[in-house]
Amino acid sequence: MSKPESHVTNFVRDVIEADIAAGKLTSEQVVTRFPPEPNGYLHVGHAKSICLNFGLAQSFGGQCNLRFDDTNPGKEDQEYVDAIMEDVRWLGFQWAGEVRYASDYFDQFYAWAQELIGKGLAYVCDLSPEQASEYRGWATQPGKPSPFRERSAEENLDLLERMKNGEFDEGSRVLRAKIDMASPNMNLRDPILYRIRKQSHHQTGDKWCIYPSYDFSHGQEDALEGVTHSICTLEFADHRPLYEWFLENLSVPAKPRQYEFGRLNLDYTVTSKRKLKRLVDENHVAGWDDPRMPTIHGMRRRGFSARAIRNFCGSLPVAKSDGVVSIAQFESAVRDDLDKHAPRAMAVLNPLKLVIENYAEGKQENLKAANHPKEDMGERELPFTREIYIDASDFNEDSSLSRKKFKRLVLGDYVRLRGAYVIKANRVEHNAAGEPTTVFCELVENTVGEDPPEGIKPRGVIHWVSASAGVKATIRVYDRLFLNASPDKGEEDFLTHINPDALKILDNCWIEPSLATAAPEASFQFEREGYFVADRFDHSASAPVFNMTIGLRDSWSDKV
RNA sequence: UGGGGUGUCGCCAAGCGGCAAGGCACUGGGUUUUGAUCCCAGCAUUCGUAGGUUCGAAUCCUUCCACCCCAGCCA
């Protein structure tokens, strides 16, 4: 169930509402589409587009199509098609009807190309790419008409047919629209409609030797599918006149309208399919679904819930400016969601053994612990034993530390074990390096769920795991992939900003037994540490593996 | 440079002639068996710049400035 998150209004929504108010269409007739090219994995920027397009359709009671813009077979792959469908579904959306492909319409596009030729609005051009570029002119300088611009319709039709039949080499000829070589908008200087590509296509195989350009496809695809509001990113604004030119000059069944909004940029993040592909191809990450990646696959494995991503995207204004959103804003949405929905549990990442000397050896109490402090999520059994682990950073031998500065265990003082007893540290054993190895404590009787007697004031509450009943686990701790807020802005290669410590593998962690049997992809809050998810692929009860999604908000550590 | 787009708090932004929403971040304070959550309070006499119109402008007009996009047989 993905109920539409509360949407702040935005200009696209306003346009649709105005269209409905003007009687141009009914609410149910609103049709949008998400049109990815299957040339890479989707990332957080696409998530915004998905949420916008599907969200708009959903809230108006209309429909949203998933359509692959597969007009360039050389860069595309079925692997990407499959991953994209999985991502859209995982985000909680369902496209209307079957998945669509631009390639479904190739025959129609071809007929339309012939129509344009018949109207004297398109021609086959034999200029080489270099020559074409010269002829195109410059910003301040109009282009020159191609010497092939005035070929007869018959000749053009014949040439196009032969291009289609594979009679010519790649790059030797293209079909162009005849528009205006002097237009200040470069996109109108006789844009390319078809180019020769003797490549097999992931959907159509070897049927075609020529493939339509984005411009000669997109508006017509929208028209064919009855898309009413075609939403794309800012860089396509210059293409809108072309988009409309085709709809104007072709016998299309409908006249969709294009609207542009600013794509999502996040600081400390790279969102360019090319750069993400480099990270994968050059092995800087373990793959497209590496939890450090801003891909939807990566975010999923990291433990960022679909709901959190949806909430985040829904909270983003849709505007025509291209700003950079702070990653903190995304993290805030993630914490907000996980705080409400993730059950609590305890895990010790850097164990320090603690022996409770006044607790019998071999004794075990199964204490009850609530799974959530506010939501009703039931309770679980928490085994308490004589030997337990606490985090090494939760103990300090310096008993002169002020209670305000260190609300944890200190030699000679009391602390509350979360969900269990109040204990006092009496002495400590060290290793050769002088590091504490075992802390010997005593517990205060009758302090489970009860305040300690007058005079005993625990410094704070720390988490713990039974040494004998707990389970050993591997925990992967993640940090941001880049150290620079704008990794791809400077002169230098963005790879120079990679954070070498973005992944730390801790393989001597201890988790409470209830965690070992967690289902893959189940999220938890490890109390006082952060949010963690059982790895989608590597986690098992016998060898538990958790990924850190994000730490708890920490308003204290940098203040001391 | 020609065309397209944008400039409002540290960041993202609402605002569409009537006297600067909201979120994130930040700063105080309260609650708390998570230094979490939650709660309460604070946070732009000012809207890229310079002029003009108006009783009144971030909102209208003009000038200038800055930034982004296009000049692929990519999308």
Side-chain angles (χ1 to χ4, degrees):
Chain A
M1 174 191 84
S2 59
K3 77 168 169 31
E5 274 73 33
S6 70
H7 294 278
V8 206
T9 186
N10 61 60
F11 77 94
V12 182
R13 176 174 294 270
D14 291 346
V15 165
I16 297 177
E17 277 168 0
D19 287 347
I20 293 169
K24 290 185 191 168
L25 75 172
T26 66
S27 187
E28 299 71 36
Q29 286 167 341
V30 171
V31 181
T32 57
R33 103 267 93 114
F34 174 61
E37 186 192 12
N39 64 347
Y41 279 63
L42 262 26
H43 56 65
V44 62
H46 297 109
K48 178 181 178 184
S49 176
I50 290 169
C51 291
L52 213 214
N53 278 295
F54 282 91
L56 241 19
Q58 213 165 39
S59 72
F60 281 103
Q63 72 172 62
C64 180
N65 297 344
L66 171 62
R67 180 182 71 231
F68 288 100
D69 232 340
D70 54 349
T71 56
N72 189 10
K75 292 186 174 175
E76 301 162 5
D77 197 285
Q78 184 64 38
E79 174 193 353
Y80 301 130
V81 171
D82 296 336
I84 289 168
M85 292 193 287
E86 185 184 351
D87 285 340
V88 173
R89 277 198 218 96
W90 178 74
L91 274 174
F93 298 106
Q94 182 55 58
W95 49 88
E98 296 294 303
V99 172
R100 305 143 199 253
Y101 297 86
S103 52
D104 291 343
Y105 316 127
F106 282 176
D107 286 311
Q108 175 63 258
F109 293 167
Y110 189 78
W112 272 330
Q114 292 171 314
E115 178 182 352
L116 241 25
I117 289 173
K119 288 178 175 172
L121 292 175
Y123 62 98
V124 172
C125 177
D126 303 355
L127 254 22
S128 71
E130 299 70 34
Q131 292 172 314
S133 177
E134 275 177 45
Y135 274 78
R136 193 157 31 235
W138 191 245
T140 48
Q141 162 195 338
K144 302 180 291 188
S146 159
F148 307 98
R149 206 171 194 252
E150 301 307 331
R151 289 217 250 231
S152 70
E154 293 66 35
E155 187 183 3
N156 280 320
L157 251 13
D158 176 61
L159 252 16
L160 178 62
E161 188 70 20
R162 290 165 62 193
M163 280 169 63
K164 186 184 78 160
N165 293 337
E167 293 183 31
F168 307 120
D169 291 336
E170 285 191 15
S172 63
R173 285 184 164 82
V174 293
L175 181 72
R176 296 225 254 168
K178 191 188 290 185
I179 306 182
D180 179 5
M181 287 307 289
S183 172
N185 182 343
M186 301 297 291
N187 294 122
L188 265 20
R189 319 252 264 223
D190 289 11
I192 287 172
L193 273 40
Y194 270 105
R195 66 285 209 208
I196 300 170
R197 278 293 131 76
K198 296 186 173 173
Q199 290 162 341
S200 95
H201 184 285
H202 51 101
Q203 302 302 318
T204 59
D206 296 321
K207 177 175 178 187
W208 296 89
C209 292
I210 55 173
Y211 290 93
S213 63
Y214 164 85
D215 286 308
F216 189 60
S217 311
H218 211 93
Q220 293 94 296
E221 296 162 14
D222 287 339
L224 250 13
E225 295 180 5
V227 168
T228 53
H229 302 265
S230 183
I231 305 163
C232 61
T233 44
L234 254 25
E235 68 268 28
F236 290 102
D238 281 342
H239 293 245
R240 193 176 346 114
L242 227 200
Y243 181 100
E244 289 167 351
W245 190 89
F246 288 122
L247 297 181
E248 217 40 64
N249 290 290
L250 257 14
S251 49
V252 292
K255 293 271 169 61
R257 302 271 299 172
Q258 173 184 302
Y259 302 91
E260 311 86 22
F261 74 101
R263 72 166 66 243
L264 167 64
N265 299 298
L266 280 177
D267 60 11
Y268 294 99
T269 307
V270 128
T271 42
S272 122
K273 282 185 185 171
R274 212 197 106 252
K275 294 198 172 89
L276 294 176
K277 193 165 189 309
R278 254 189 93 190
L279 287 168
V280 173
D281 290 346
E282 297 175 22
N283 296 312
H284 293 100
V285 295
W288 288 99
D289 68 350
D290 187 297
R292 290 167 290 185
M293 291 283 274
T295 51
I296 295 179
H297 261 61
M299 296 192 290
R300 174 177 182 178
R301 201 155 174 203
R302 175 75 171 264
F304 297 145
S305 68
R307 184 177 40 226
I309 294 170
R310 265 186 270 125
N311 288 162
F312 170 65
C313 291
S315 77
L316 292 171
V318 178
K320 274 186 165 314
S321 53
D322 39 15
V324 180
V325 174
S326 163
I327 192 74
Q329 194 157 333
F330 173 68
E331 294 173 340
S332 170
V334 171
R335 289 196 183 98
D336 185 62
D337 176 63
L338 260 15
D339 174 60
K340 287 190 187 74
H341 300 282
R344 312 286 120 124
M346 290 194 281
V348 171
L349 308 205
N350 301 295
L352 169 62
K353 183 169 278 186
L354 204 143
V355 179
I356 301 173
E357 294 182 287
N358 60 342
Y359 198 81
E361 233 161 307
K363 181 177 176 186
Q364 174 171 325
E365 281 176 279
N366 290 321
L367 307 172
K368 299 282 190 205
N371 288 326
H372 195 104
K374 291 180 178 171
E375 310 296 325
D376 182 16
M377 297 180 64
E379 52 182 24
R380 65 189 188 283
E381 287 196 336
L382 199 54
F384 185 80
T385 53
R386 175 182 165 92
E387 295 196 351
I388 64 173
Y389 292 113
I390 65 167
D391 198 272
S393 65
D394 282 339
F395 172 71
N396 200 303
E397 299 183 52
D398 183 0
S399 49
S400 71
L401 276 171
S402 81
R403 297 177 70 89
K404 195 166 167 70
K405 268 195 169 176
F406 197 74
K407 304 167 78 163
R408 312 175 184 190
L409 187 61
V410 147
L411 220 44
D413 208 350
Y414 294 92
V415 82
R416 157 77 67 185
L417 291 177
R418 168 115 254 228
Y421 296 91
V422 170
I423 58 164
K424 179 187 179 190
N426 290 324
R427 63 194 171 87
V428 56
E429 273 179 7
H430 302 88
N431 60 17
E435 297 157 337
T437 51
T438 311
V439 183
F440 294 89
C441 305
E442 63 183 274
L443 62 72
V444 183
E445 300 289 351
N446 304 316
T447 48
V448 177
E450 304 285 341
D451 284 335
E454 203 65 34
I456 293 178
K457 296 261 187 297
R459 293 173 79 106
V461 183
I462 64 173
H463 57 100
W464 56 278
V465 167
S466 162
S468 49
V471 179
K472 199 166 180 180
T474 294
I475 296 182
R476 308 196 272 228
V477 177
Y478 294 99
D479 196 359
R480 52 183 56 143
L481 224 204
F482 294 99
L483 295 167
N484 189 294
S486 312
D488 50 2
K489 276 291 184 292
E491 298 291 297
E492 67 290 343
D493 191 339
F494 77 103
L495 294 174
T496 62
H497 296 301
I498 283 194
N499 175 7
D501 298 319
L503 166 61
K504 283 183 185 141
I505 299 175
L506 272 28
D507 50 17
N508 186 31
C509 306
W510 290 85
I511 59 177
E512 59 171 277
S514 68
L515 244 19
T517 52
E521 297 201 83
S523 280
F524 297 88
Q525 184 198 96
F526 291 175
E527 296 204 62
R528 301 209 316 129
E529 291 288 359
Y531 297 97
F532 295 77
V533 66
D535 189 80
R536 187 179 171 194
F537 302 117
D538 302 332
H539 172 82
S540 70
S542 55
V545 178
F546 284 85
N547 300 330
M548 169 182 254
T549 303
I550 190 165
L552 252 26
R553 216 175 125 247
D554 183 359
S555 55
W556 151 86
S557 65
D558 51 325
K559 272 189 196 170
V560 180

